[in-house]
Amino acid sequence: MYLGIDSGGSKTMMVLLNREGEILHQGQCEGVGRSVDDGSNLLSELTLPLSNLRDQYGFPMAICVNLGGKNSIQIHRTVTSVFPMAKIHVYRESEGVVPLFMARREEAEIIVLAGTGAIALGHSGAGEEAVSGGWGQDISDEGSGYWVGMETIRSILKSVERETPTLLAGLVLNSIYSRCGTGQLRTAMETRDEIRGKLPRERGSIAAVSRLTAKAAEMGDAEAERIFAEAG
């Protein structure tokens, strides 16, 4: 069996295949991509689902991890703790190894990745390669769930300050502040301190806000549509 793992700051996806390439299991858990590589601590967010996978299916021969983050040593040690006999490769997404391999496999010349950093990679049949972006999640994160979440938070705070209710602001505020329903903002001074204390701070929580942005866009909210248009 072979296990593929793709993880960033928002979520982790994993697929287990048999020798024939048939999918045995597909799963999702919290994102484990981090901006700091703390190799001394294992990631419980990853060890639990991997342990469940091991208990149900056994031990894969090889594991490939595509990581949107800087903690490659931490990821390697975490996976090794569950599958000590497997051949494990951890590739940082910004290195482009896995994306370019997939691009060649699918005969694509350009591939764009967004999530815990954004990067565009290109290659030609002559072996030429080009790259744009990929400078790290804190600088180059255009179009990711985290970026959409941050833009959404900035937008709703402006709505609070200007006392101009929007559908998007109502949806998000309703999720983080129970007394603010859709289109029912109180004055900026009344809500400012309380909202500040309830705003999401972790990357995964901020990225999760993008789901509400998508919902608002589907309902025709102009501000949500603008954010997604800028996200590309």
Side-chain angles (χ1 to χ4, degrees):
M1 296 184 295
Y2 305 93
L3 177 62
I5 301 173
D6 184 270
S7 185
S10 306
K11 64 181 178 180
T12 297
M13 303 292 293
M14 54 186 71
V15 178
L16 183 68
L17 306 172
N18 61 18
R19 287 179 176 271
E20 289 71 39
E22 298 171 329
I23 296 176
L24 302 177
H25 173 82
Q26 286 181 292
Q28 179 177 327
C29 63
E30 294 181 44
V32 292
R34 303 287 187 265
S35 59
V36 176
D37 198 354
D38 183 6
S40 62
N41 291 316
L42 302 182
L43 292 158
S44 60
E45 302 93 332
L46 189 57
T47 55
L48 180 58
L50 288 181
S51 297
N52 291 337
L53 191 68
R54 176 199 60 201
D55 294 343
Q56 184 173 359
Y57 294 96
F59 293 80
M61 295 176 57
I63 300 171
C64 180
V65 182
N66 186 49
L67 174 64
K70 298 179 181 179
N71 54 327
S72 54
I73 295 175
Q74 186 180 34
I75 294 293
H76 195 283
R77 290 181 177 174
T78 298
V79 177
T80 300
S81 71
V82 181
F83 300 111
M85 302 301 292
K87 187 176 182 179
I88 301 168
H89 291 285
V90 179
Y91 298 101
R92 288 183 58 189
E93 193 169 74
S94 58
E95 296 171 344
V97 175
V98 175
L100 283 174
F101 174 81
M102 294 303 300
R104 295 188 185 99
R105 178 185 174 90
E106 299 299 325
E107 299 183 349
E109 295 183 349
I110 297 175
I111 184 168
V112 178
L113 307 170
T116 320
I119 185 172
L121 304 162
H123 72 95
S124 69
E128 299 172 318
E129 294 184 354
V131 60
S132 177
W135 297 108
Q137 62 183 20
D138 297 324
I139 298 173
S140 180
D141 204 19
E142 303 89 338
S144 69
Y146 173 77
W147 183 91
V148 171
M150 283 298 297
E151 289 297 305
T152 299
I153 290 171
R154 293 188 183 103
S155 173
I156 66 171
L157 293 182
K158 289 180 180 178
S159 294
V160 171
E161 291 174 345
R162 298 170 183 174
E163 299 184 44
T164 53
T166 65
L167 175 61
L168 175 62
L171 286 174
V172 176
L173 288 173
N174 189 53
S175 72
I176 63 175
Y177 180 50
S178 61
R179 283 177 288 175
C180 290
T182 303
Q184 295 177 341
L185 300 182
R186 297 188 299 169
T187 66
M189 294 306 295
E190 287 179 315
T191 60
R192 188 181 184 91
D193 289 340
E194 293 174 86
I195 290 175
R196 183 192 293 116
K198 294 180 179 292
L199 289 175
R201 304 292 180 181
E202 299 295 328
R203 293 189 69 90
S205 298
I206 293 172
V209 173
S210 64
R211 299 189 184 101
L212 295 173
T213 315
K215 181 177 180 180
E218 291 174 355
M219 298 172 69
D221 183 84
E223 182 64 7
E225 292 174 348
R226 179 195 66 79
I227 291 172
F228 274 111
E230 291 186 8

